[in-house]
Amino acid sequence: MALESGLLEILACPACHSALKEQDGEQDTEGTELVCTGQDCGLAYPVRDGIPVLLVDEARRPL
């Protein structure tokens, strides 16, 4: 499920305040994620039922 384009323009990573980009999860069981574009951050936040979960504790760390 794609997020509204206007929503991505106003959302930012809660950890470093960089922009987020939408992408599919790495595994088949994962849905869409919002990935931080910050070079030193890279956290991936899940989107559940079309709602971004922008909690650092819920984010997937980059590999």
Side-chain angles (χ1 to χ4, degrees):
M1 173 184 283
L3 296 174
E4 292 182 30
S5 60
L7 183 60
L8 280 177
E9 292 176 11
I10 61 171
L11 292 179
C13 175
C16 71
H17 309 288
S18 295
L20 298 168
K21 66 178 180 178
E22 187 175 12
Q23 74 179 37
D24 291 332
E26 289 187 355
Q27 300 175 3
D28 292 336
T29 58
E30 296 178 12
T32 303
E33 295 179 324
L34 295 180
V35 179
C36 178
T37 59
Q39 287 182 330
D40 297 331
C41 186
L43 293 174
Y45 299 93
V47 177
R48 297 185 185 131
D49 297 324
I51 301 169
V53 181
L54 298 178
L55 299 171
V56 175
D57 292 341
E58 294 282 327
R60 182 177 53 77
R61 303 261 177 216
L63 300 175

